Structure formats: C-alpha cells, structure tokens
Amino acid sequence: MAHLLFLSFLICRLIPIVGLTLHSSDLLPLQLHFHPSTTSSVSTDFGGTTHSTPLAILHPTSPHDIAILIRTSYLSPHPFPISARGHGHSINGQASAPQGVVIDMSRDSVISDLTHDRPLPFYSSSRHEYYVDVWAGELWINVLSWTLANGGLAPKSWTDYLYLSVGGTLSNAGISGQAFHHGPQISNVHELDVVTGKGELVTCSEDQNSELFHAVLGGLGQFGIITRARIALESAPQRVRWIRVLYSNFTAFTRDQEQLISLHSDSKRFDYVEGFVIVNEGLINNWRSSFFSPSNPVKMSSLGGANGGVLYCLEMTKNYNEYNAHSVDQDVEDLLKELDFIPASVFTTDLTYLEFLDRVHKAELKLRAKGLWEVPHPWLNLFVPASRIADFDRGVFRGILGNKTSGPILIYPMNKHKWDDRTSVVTPEEGVFYLVAFLRSALDNSGEPSKTLEHLSRENQEILEFCRKEGLKTRQYLPHHKTQSEWQHHFGRNWDRFQHRKAEFDPKFILGTGQGIFQPSSIPYSSLFFS
Ligand code: FAD
C-alpha cells in the first residue's frame, strides 16, 4: 500500500513537469525514482567534469518497462528526454538526460526476472559458432565470467577495461588490441533487441530490421535503447604470453605494428597488438615490476634520451593452451625476429586469459587505493589515418606534449575492412588507421601546472587544432562536440544518413540528449519543453 502511494506521488510529480497525457496507471508499475539522493547518483560520470541531474531514474525490471517509459514520452505533447546509462564511464556527460529520465541499465539496479535466468551460451549450426544472449546493462567482466564458466567460451573482441556495459560499448564501437583481427565489438554482435524512440521493442539483425541494427551499433544512443545483445563467442585460450618491446624510432615502431596487423594466419600472428607512447621514464618503471625479462635484463637509463626522450612500446600477446604450450616460445620468437625494436628490450610475462583481459582492473584498484581514480579525466581519443601518423608524432608526441603526459597514451593500428560501414560509427577513409588515446588524469592540487584540468583541456584543444590545421583528417572516437556544425563535420558524408535514421527511429528527439548531437534549436519539443 505504501509502495502504491509512493508511486502515485512520483507520477503526480512527473505529470506536471513533462505534461504527460497517458493514464497515470501506465507508469505505476515502473520503478521510477525522483528523490535527489537517487537522481544525484547519476549526475556525473567517469570524466568528472560535467554535472546534470535528471528529473528521475528508471530502474527497469524488463525491456517492457523501457518501452512503456519511452512510449509515454513519445505520445506526450511535451516529450521528455531519456538516456540509457550503462556504467557511467563516459567522459562528457554522454549518458545524461538533462530535464529528463535516465534509465539505469546496470544489473545491480535491475530487479526481478532480469537478474535470474541468464541464458546459457548456445551453438548456432548455421554459423558454426557459439553465441550468448546478454542483458545490455551487463558488464563485460560478468559476460566473460559467465561464458568461461559455461563451456570455457569467451567473446572475441574486447575493450582494455571490462567494467563497461555491453550497451555502452556497442553504442560506440568497443576496441582493443584484438580489433585488428576480429574487428571492434560492434562487428561481433549478431542480434539485438532495441526499444526505439517510438517505444517499440524490436528485434534486429543483419537480416531482420537491418537498418535499425546498423544504426544502433556505434549509434551513440541516438536511435534506440539496446536491451539484449547476441554476442559471438570462441573457445577461450587457457594462457597468454604477453610481450612488450621498446622503440626509439617511430617509423620502425609503426612499420612493425602495421606489419603485425597484416598477418592473418592463426598460428603465425599475434592475438593482440597495441602500443603506447612513453614520454618519460615513470611509465616504464610502473609496469616494469609486473614484467620479467629472463634472458635480457635491461637498464632503462641506456634507452633514455633517444629521440628527444620519447620511447614507443609495442605490446603483443600470443594465446595458447596446454596442448600447444610446447610451441609458444618458438612461435613468439619467430614473430619477434621480424621486428626492429631496440635489442634487449624484450619484456615478457605469462598469465591466464582472464588475468590478461582483466589487467586494467588491477591498475584501477591501485589508483583507487591512492585516491587517484575518482579524479577528472579529460580524455581524448582520436582515429588517425595511417598515412598521417608520422605527422601526428612530430606535432603532438614530440611537439605539443613537451615531455609531460599525466597518464597513458595508447597508439595502435586497426584494419578498416574489419569495420562495417553500415554501422553509425565513423572512421578515417583509409585501409589502416590508428587509435591514439590520451587517457589522462587531472590533479589540480599536485602543485604541477601541467597536471591541472585546465592545462590538459587546453592541450586537448591544441591537439585538435593541430590536426585541423595540418589537415590530418582525424575522427574522434567516443566523440564530444559542442555545435551541430562540429557534429556534421564529424559524420562527414554520413551525416545525412545519421539524420535520416534519427527521423525514422527517434523522430521526437527523445533519446541520448546528453550527447548534444541534435541541438535544442533543431528539437521540435524544445520550445515547449524549455519554455
Ligand atoms: P555509458 O557511459 O553509461 O554510456 C555511453 C553512451 O551509450 C551514452 O550515450 C549512453 O546513453 C549510451 N548507452 C548506454 N547503454 C546503452 C544501451 N543499452 N542502449 C543504447 N545506448 C546506451 N572503450 C573502448 O572502446 N576500448 C577501451 O579499451 C576502453 N577502455 C576504457 C577504460 C576506462 C577506464 C573507461 C572509463 C572507459 C573506457 N572505454 C573504452 C570507453 C567506453 O567504451 C565508453 O566509456 C562507453 O561509453 C562505455 O561505458 P558505459 O558502459 O559506462 O556507458
């Protein structure tokens, strides 16, 4: 009884705010929360620089709850914004819904039937492959634990960090060092359930409602809320040989990276290829302790100073099982001998597949213990065409950065043919392009001006300006733009398609307003809603 009274109270609050015309009983069953102690929990994100408290949070108990909420908004004369929030690991408020409702997709908040009856992996005889169906708010770490425990299986394509939601990474792309071979995560999902901006729950795939399927993948939450994803699996390897080698010569570094991602034979290639930039020795000393180099201990001081103090680390793994453990040393050696790294700079370690995939979580725990996790993160992620990566090195790593980083800088190439052009994500128009990720933490009280949020944000702008001026034709990954013309430029020749998809699947501009793609002036309800 108390519960019903509480719900009625909530709905009474919602109706005058958003002008609902539906019968209020439609919303009664929904777990909508309005109290500031709850709504404030989603007012910021991992970036830590934006704040926007929604009017309400929905904790869905099923996809139908999401459909009811969106339909309510869609049928209202004053539609209200709705955004899904996976794990809130965006940087610039992308999962927020100013003046609207945030749907908390996390499994922790999801009640009843969704927390039980996790589907088991199953075999598709038509595709000769295993799949698993997962709730889109599920974290990748839980997907992995589940599939490993049920058949020794695992998804094929990853992100470096696993405490991200399936729906959140599929709305962007989902990339890591496996993407050169398997493509991004959006290339490894075969069916989705989606609630569109009209409140319709639709199953889509390559063969069924394919326009919606492709729109939603990399769609930045603009066309529908993914509730279920069918993810392709493979047999999980038992162990991973993890190798790092150093370069002082950028041309040799990128040539080797590009050579490695061109290899396709399963036995004669690495399973994961990434890299990072080291502009000071701190980073090496950080990871040195977790690596060992049995044959060639290296004095780091002997490597410093080359190339203006900038080093490049190439990072690779080779997966293996008990049955082929005898050949892994030889396989790795054969691949390494083709590379042109600094002699004697080979660092190797060996761990389980789960330990390798979950490696960033270890770093997270260390940073949390030091109070360095929940700090502002002015991250910038760029896709850079391979033909201009040397210019980028000259202008940014050895130019703008000036020997200071304040966090890891990842750099690794990917093959464009592993990306499906029909999805909504945009990548450079070249066969090979790099991810360059500036994953920096701001520390305003460290006494070092180069670590402040202001400094790092200004440096990000300088980097973007450099790319623009030099005509590098980069694209932002996990994009953040402030004006519609910037978004238009971001999507380039795909802008028209993006707009058409919006008109078809979310004609009232209800979804994903935190992305700021469709500005208030272009939103039909804005004059009503914001007046
Ligand atoms: P949120 O931030 O909650 O949401 C992101 C966007 O997706 C929002 O627009 C939201 O509305 C929308 N959305 C969320 N769920 C759904 C859904 N079910 N349906 C439709 N739209 C939805 N990315 C990589 O590709 N590779 C990496 O290696 C990588 N490493 C990372 C490491 C860390 C420590 C962090 C913080 C982020 C990393 N990311 C990486 C970025 C990550 O992919 C994005 O932050 C992404 O947004 C996923 O985070 P999330 O699940 O918390 O989604």
Side-chain angles (χ1 to χ4, degrees):
M1 182 63 188
H3 179 65
L4 276 180
L5 281 173
F6 181 59
L7 277 174
S8 307
F9 168 72
L10 298 179
I11 288 161
C12 288
R13 286 203 45 195
L14 185 61
I15 289 169
I17 294 168
V18 298
L20 298 183
T21 53
L22 279 199
H23 197 277
S24 60
S25 62
D26 289 336
L27 290 175
L28 264 180
L30 301 190
Q31 299 281 338
L32 273 166
H33 300 274
F34 293 81
H35 197 275
S37 63
T38 313
T39 52
S40 62
S41 67
V42 296
S43 61
T44 189
D45 57 21
F46 185 79
T49 60
T50 60
H51 295 270
S52 167
T53 306
L55 294 176
I57 298 186
L58 172 71
H59 291 159
T61 60
S62 73
H64 296 285
D65 285 3
I66 297 174
I68 289 171
L69 181 76
I70 297 181
R71 188 120 192 106
T72 303
S73 177
Y74 179 68
L75 293 178
S76 164
H78 308 295
F80 52 94
I82 298 171
S83 290
R85 178 175 165 109
H87 204 44
H89 276 42
S90 291
I91 297 300
N92 299 290
Q94 284 91 338
S96 66
Q99 300 293 306
V101 181
V102 165
I103 303 175
D104 182 349
M105 298 294 290
S106 66
R107 183 174 276 276
D108 291 348
S109 81
V110 170
I111 309 139
S112 86
D113 51 323
L114 292 174
T115 50
H116 305 293
D117 305 329
R118 248 183 243 253
L120 286 167
F122 64 97
Y123 186 72
S124 155
S125 47
S126 59
R127 287 187 182 262
H128 309 289
E129 211 174 24
Y130 278 93
Y131 300 104
V132 68
D133 281 338
V134 300
W135 169 245
E138 193 72 87
L139 298 182
W140 284 99
I141 181 70
N142 296 332
V143 176
L144 176 61
S145 306
W146 179 247
T147 55
L148 281 177
N150 290 282
L153 300 161
K156 300 172 175 181
S157 184
W158 289 101
T159 48
D160 293 341
Y161 177 63
L162 307 187
Y163 290 73
L164 303 169
S165 76
V166 169
T169 69
L170 294 182
S171 298
N172 286 291
I175 50 173
S176 181
Q178 303 84 3
F180 79 89
H181 181 67
H182 289 297
Q185 291 180 323
I186 53 172
S187 296
N188 292 277
V189 56
H190 294 291
E191 190 176 280
L192 300 170
D193 283 345
V194 173
V195 182
T196 69
K198 298 174 185 169
E200 294 160 344
L201 179 55
V202 180
T203 298
C204 57
S205 66
E206 288 260 352
D207 308 319
Q208 193 185 357
N209 300 306
S210 61
E211 186 65 18
L212 178 62
F213 180 68
H214 293 122
V216 162
L217 295 173
L220 306 175
Q222 296 304 302
F223 310 110
I225 307 248
I226 306 167
T227 57
R228 176 185 63 93
R230 175 165 294 178
I231 294 160
L233 303 174
E234 64 181 0
S235 182
Q238 289 165 325
R239 295 200 68 82
V240 172
R241 181 66 51 84
W242 184 8
I243 305 121
R244 283 173 171 173
V245 296
L246 297 172
Y247 292 75
S248 55
N249 181 320
F250 188 73
T251 310
F253 169 68
T254 50
R255 192 178 49 229
D256 282 356
Q257 277 198 325
E258 288 178 36
Q259 163 64 13
L260 289 178
I261 70 156
S262 72
L263 303 176
H264 296 299
S265 151
D266 273 353
S267 61
K268 293 197 172 61
R269 66 169 172 85
F270 284 114
D271 294 289
Y272 158 104
V273 176
E274 284 202 7
F276 48 92
V277 181
I278 303 166
V279 301
N280 57 36
E281 285 206 5
L283 195 56
I284 296 177
N285 292 328
N286 260 342
W287 55 256
R288 201 181 168 193
S289 58
S290 57
F291 272 71
F292 56 89
S293 183
S295 51
N296 296 308
V298 169
K299 286 199 178 70
M300 300 315 297
S301 54
S302 67
L303 305 172
N307 200 25
V310 181
L311 291 172
Y312 309 95
C313 175
L314 171 57
E315 176 174 68
M316 305 139 286
T317 68
K318 187 79 188 157
N319 299 338
Y320 68 100
N321 291 297
E322 250 168 51
Y323 69 84
N324 62 356
H326 60 279
S327 62
V328 69
D329 287 339
Q330 191 59 52
D331 291 346
V332 167
E333 203 182 310
D334 289 349
L335 287 161
L336 288 185
K337 76 176 180 232
E338 302 296 323
L339 306 180
D340 195 11
F341 50 85
I342 298 172
S345 71
V346 184
F347 292 76
T348 59
T349 192
D350 199 278
L351 58 187
T352 66
Y353 193 49
L354 177 60
E355 284 168 340
F356 173 72
L357 290 179
D358 200 24
R359 63 201 177 281
V360 175
H361 186 51
K362 252 180 145 179
E364 172 185 355
L365 295 178
K366 281 186 194 163
L367 289 171
R368 277 192 188 281
K370 293 183 194 159
L372 295 176
W373 184 256
E374 281 169 19
V375 297
H377 296 104
W379 286 9
L380 176 66
N381 287 268
L382 296 173
F383 289 143
V384 182
S387 67
R388 304 304 303 274
I389 196 72
D391 298 318
F392 194 91
D393 172 54
R394 253 189 311 278
V396 179
F397 302 146
R398 288 186 288 128
I400 294 170
L401 292 189
N403 267 359
K404 299 261 173 10
T405 56
S406 297
I409 302 172
L410 307 185
I411 169 169
Y412 57 89
M414 286 168 284
N415 293 308
K416 186 164 170 101
H417 72 270
K418 297 285 181 179
W419 294 64
D420 189 333
D421 224 17
R422 294 168 296 177
T423 65
S424 291
V425 69
V426 282
T427 58
E429 306 278 347
E430 270 187 29
V432 173
F433 60 88
Y434 282 77
L435 170 77
V436 181
F438 298 88
L439 308 180
R440 307 193 289 176
S441 303
L443 299 174
D444 277 2
N445 299 322
S446 73
E448 284 192 47
S450 65
K451 291 191 172 165
T452 60
L453 180 61
E454 194 190 333
H455 177 88
L456 295 175
S457 305
R458 201 171 45 239
E459 214 166 62
N460 285 346
Q461 289 313 313
E462 273 179 55
I463 294 169
L464 291 169
E465 185 57 17
F466 167 81
C467 296
R468 196 190 60 76
K469 268 200 187 140
E470 296 292 316
L472 259 47
K473 299 198 172 148
T474 54
R475 305 277 195 173
Q476 282 190 42
Y477 175 54
L478 312 169
H480 172 57
H481 298 288
K482 291 201 174 113
T483 64
Q484 188 146 78
S485 68
E486 283 174 3
W487 278 110
Q488 215 165 321
H489 185 257
H490 171 82
F491 285 105
R493 66 181 167 87
N494 292 336
W495 173 243
D496 282 351
R497 184 181 70 183
F498 200 81
Q499 278 188 307
H500 284 134
R501 285 174 167 175
K502 188 72 174 172
E504 184 173 352
F505 301 120
D506 181 24
K508 295 196 177 171
F509 299 84
I510 289 167
L511 300 177
T513 51
Q515 294 275 3
I517 299 175
F518 296 96
Q519 305 297 317
S521 62
S522 67
I523 300 177
Y525 68 74
S526 64
S527 56
L528 301 167
F529 194 77
F530 293 107
S531 60

